[in-house]
Amino acid sequence: MNRISTIRKNIVRNKKILSTMKRRLVIWAVAVVTFCVFSYLIDPFDPVWKEYLNAPLRMILEDATWIVFFSIIISEVSIFIDRTLNKLLPWSNRTVKRLLIQCLIQIVGSVMIVIIINAIVDCTSVTLPEMDSRKEYTLLGQWIATNIVISLIISAFNTVDYLLENWKKTAVEAAQHKLRASKHKQAAMAAELQALKLQIDPHFIFNNLSVLSELILEDQQLGYEYSEKFARVYRYLLVNSKKDIIAVEEELKFLESYIFLIEKRIGEGVIFKIDIQEEYRSRFTLPLSLQLLVENAIKHNQTSKANPLEIHVYTNQEGELIVSNTFLPLINKPDSSGVGLTNIIARYEILGYPKPVIEKTEDKFIVKLPLI
């Protein structure tokens, strides 16, 4: 494993070295071309250009060697200045100040290179042709101007490359940050969804155990039957409450079992009507959503034999699962844990589905659940 890791590191390092070498060669080539083009454009009518056509090959090669040598020196100095400034005065801090300082140092560096090289040539060469001082200063000025242009072009090249690399790095970091934020958001939503699901268990147990205790005091046999049905219903709850969605057909089977508990508990005080079209039974809804809505309707409305609460569960042409109940509000409102409607709406929202629609009229309370 360590050997494979070492090989991979060597491959990555070799790629970086190769990329750096290619970049340097490009910079040197740009410097050489700039040197030649700008030298010609400064004085295109100089007789020396015509003399080059008849010059011996050896002289041309020597001049070419010197041009490459000067170009490499000015390129490396320019690169060194840019890298040093990137550490001491990054572009992100003070852009204008950095630009002015970089240009000034590049110009000073170019002038110093010309002066140093010219002094070395004067001290070491004894075969230089004699020329008047005016011509000598003109050539020196042209040489300085050429080096300054090369230096500034290489500096601009390095600056653009540096800024592009930083922009790319910033874009990657922003994308990674966005991905991490998305993962954190998903984890938070999953935790919130799980918490909403866990709310259902104690809510369901509390309500039905309260009823069970009352039935046992009134009729032990009825209490036993109720406990048996309650155990079956609760087993279904344990299996399916942790799911995100469930088939409407399965939810209806659970609702039928739950209706049995309600009828034993309330009797003729509530009337159920189930009317689900066959084509929608294979669609999906949230687990225990119907049970929570039915329980919510019973909890907040009167249930009497003389004026029974009517609960209608049906579907419409818009593909919605609807729970409608007659509006018979209690005189004294019961304490509410806020689990029912709030729980269902929150779960739909977290899962990214359209929210349920709640409608209230003078005599009806309607909740429309979008089928999935």
Side-chain angles (χ1 to χ4, degrees), residues 215-280:
L215 290 177
I216 290 175
L217 292 176
E218 296 176 3
D219 188 334
Q220 291 186 357
Q221 181 60 33
L222 180 59
Y224 174 77
E225 293 178 6
Y226 190 93
S227 66
E228 287 291 314
K229 293 293 184 180
F230 172 65
R232 293 179 185 177
V233 170
Y234 188 62
R235 189 179 301 112
Y236 176 89
L237 183 147
L238 290 176
V239 172
N240 295 287
S241 64
K242 304 301 185 295
K243 297 179 180 178
D244 290 341
I245 58 175
I246 192 169
V248 173
E249 183 69 35
E250 293 296 317
E251 185 71 0
L252 287 174
K253 290 179 181 179
F254 170 71
L255 182 62
E256 289 173 2
S257 299
Y258 182 66
I259 288 174
F260 170 83
L261 300 181
I262 294 175
E263 289 176 341
K264 292 298 181 183
R265 166 178 145 195
I266 300 177
E268 298 178 4
V270 61
I271 299 174
F272 288 95
K273 182 181 179 182
I274 310 297
D275 185 17
I276 305 296
Q277 298 177 33
E278 193 66 32
E279 61 183 294
Y280 294 118

Side-chain angles (χ1 to χ4, degrees), residues 120-372:
I120 293 173
V121 172
D122 285 341
C123 295
T124 57
S125 179
V126 294
T127 59
L128 289 175
E130 292 292 335
M131 64 177 68
D132 57 70
S133 58
R134 183 178 178 182
K135 180 66 174 178
E136 183 177 355
Y137 286 126
T138 300
L139 291 176
L140 185 62
Q142 292 176 351
W143 190 9
I144 290 174
T146 302
N147 281 8
I148 289 174
V149 170
I150 294 173
S151 179
L152 293 178
I153 289 176
I154 299 303
S155 180
F157 182 88
N158 290 329
T159 299
V160 171
D161 183 66
Y162 172 80
L163 294 177
L164 285 176
E165 285 295 326
N166 276 268
W167 174 79
K168 191 186 299 182
K169 183 180 179 182
T170 302
V172 170
E173 290 178 351
Q176 291 176 344
H177 177 74
K178 188 176 181 180
L179 181 61
R180 286 195 297 269
S182 177
K183 288 182 178 179
H184 291 162
K185 184 178 179 180
Q186 289 179 357
M189 290 174 64
E192 186 179 353
L193 179 61
Q194 187 61 27
L196 289 170
K197 293 176 182 177
L198 292 175
Q199 283 181 348
I200 298 173
D201 291 354
H203 181 74
F204 180 81
I205 295 172
F206 175 78
N207 285 349
N208 285 280
L209 286 181
S210 298
V211 174
L212 180 59
S213 62
E214 294 176 5
L215 290 177
I216 290 175
L217 292 176
E218 296 176 3
D219 188 334
Q220 291 186 357
Q221 181 60 33
L222 180 59
Y224 174 77
E225 293 178 6
Y226 190 93
S227 66
E228 287 291 314
K229 293 293 184 180
F230 172 65
R232 293 179 185 177
V233 170
Y234 188 62
R235 189 179 301 112
Y236 176 89
L237 183 147
L238 290 176
V239 172
N240 295 287
S241 64
K242 304 301 185 295
K243 297 179 180 178
D244 290 341
I245 58 175
I246 192 169
V248 173
E249 183 69 35
E250 293 296 317
E251 185 71 0
L252 287 174
K253 290 179 181 179
F254 170 71
L255 182 62
E256 289 173 2
S257 299
Y258 182 66
I259 288 174
F260 170 83
L261 300 181
I262 294 175
E263 289 176 341
K264 292 298 181 183
R265 166 178 145 195
I266 300 177
E268 298 178 4
V270 61
I271 299 174
F272 288 95
K273 182 181 179 182
I274 310 297
D275 185 17
I276 305 296
Q277 298 177 33
E278 193 66 32
E279 61 183 294
Y280 294 118
R281 289 177 176 265
S282 60
R283 300 277 290 274
F284 292 86
T285 186
L286 302 191
L288 307 175
S289 55
L290 294 181
Q291 179 261 329
L292 284 173
L293 291 177
V294 169
E295 189 172 328
N296 190 70
I298 294 172
K299 184 175 182 179
H300 294 279
N301 291 278
Q302 301 177 39
T303 55
S304 63
K305 185 177 181 179
N307 189 17
L309 175 67
E310 297 180 7
I311 300 177
H312 188 191
V313 181
Y314 61 100
T315 51
N316 61 12
Q317 297 298 324
E318 285 73 31
E320 295 174 319
L321 182 60
I322 302 172
V323 178
S324 171
N325 62 269
T326 51
F327 189 57
L328 305 170
L330 295 170
I331 298 175
N332 297 319
K333 294 184 178 181
D335 295 333
S336 176
S337 61
V339 171
L341 276 174
T342 303
N343 182 288
I344 294 172
I345 293 172
R347 282 194 286 157
Y348 264 97
E349 185 176 4
I350 290 174
L351 291 171
Y353 300 121
K355 292 183 181 180
V357 177
I358 300 173
E359 297 178 359
K360 186 177 179 181
T361 64
E362 292 183 1
D363 58 349
K364 292 279 187 179
F365 187 85
I366 303 169
V367 179
K368 298 179 180 180
L369 302 177
L371 288 176
I372 302 166

Side-chain angles (χ1 to χ4, degrees), residues 2-210:
N2 292 333
R3 185 178 179 183
I4 295 174
S5 178
T6 303
I7 293 174
R8 287 178 178 174
K9 289 180 179 178
N10 290 335
I11 292 174
V12 172
R13 185 173 66 252
N14 292 335
K15 285 183 177 179
K16 288 183 178 179
I17 293 173
L18 184 61
S19 176
T20 303
M21 290 177 62
K22 288 181 178 179
R23 184 173 173 274
R24 285 294 174 85
L25 289 174
V26 170
I27 292 175
W28 294 348
V30 170
V32 170
V33 172
T34 304
F35 189 95
C36 296
V37 171
F38 194 77
S39 297
Y40 175 77
L41 292 177
I42 286 179
D43 191 1
F45 302 104
D46 194 326
V48 72
W49 301 116
K50 293 183 178 181
E51 294 175 4
Y52 260 101
L53 298 176
N54 301 319
L57 180 61
R58 180 179 176 181
M59 179 182 173
I60 295 175
L61 291 177
E62 286 180 357
D63 285 351
T65 302
W66 279 108
I67 291 172
V68 172
F69 176 70
F70 292 146
S71 299
I72 291 175
I73 289 178
I74 197 68
S75 298
E76 292 303 315
V77 171
S78 179
I79 291 172
F80 174 77
I81 292 172
D82 287 343
R83 288 184 175 178
T84 303
L85 288 177
N86 287 340
K87 296 177 182 179
L88 300 178
L89 188 63
W91 284 98
S92 56
N93 293 346
R94 296 180 180 179
T95 307
V96 177
K97 183 178 180 181
R98 164 63 190 268
L99 179 62
L100 295 175
I101 291 176
Q102 179 170 307
C103 291
L104 179 61
I105 295 177
Q106 292 287 2
I107 292 171
V108 172
S110 300
V111 173
M112 293 301 298
I113 290 173
V114 172
I115 293 174
I116 292 171
I117 294 177
N118 190 61
I120 293 173
V121 172
D122 285 341
C123 295
T124 57
S125 179
V126 294
T127 59
L128 289 175
E130 292 292 335
M131 64 177 68
D132 57 70
S133 58
R134 183 178 178 182
K135 180 66 174 178
E136 183 177 355
Y137 286 126
T138 300
L139 291 176
L140 185 62
Q142 292 176 351
W143 190 9
I144 290 174
T146 302
N147 281 8
I148 289 174
V149 170
I150 294 173
S151 179
L152 293 178
I153 289 176
I154 299 303
S155 180
F157 182 88
N158 290 329
T159 299
V160 171
D161 183 66
Y162 172 80
L163 294 177
L164 285 176
E165 285 295 326
N166 276 268
W167 174 79
K168 191 186 299 182
K169 183 180 179 182
T170 302
V172 170
E173 290 178 351
Q176 291 176 344
H177 177 74
K178 188 176 181 180
L179 181 61
R180 286 195 297 269
S182 177
K183 288 182 178 179
H184 291 162
K185 184 178 179 180
Q186 289 179 357
M189 290 174 64
E192 186 179 353
L193 179 61
Q194 187 61 27
L196 289 170
K197 293 176 182 177
L198 292 175
Q199 283 181 348
I200 298 173
D201 291 354
H203 181 74
F204 180 81
I205 295 172
F206 175 78
N207 285 349
N208 285 280
L209 286 181
S210 298

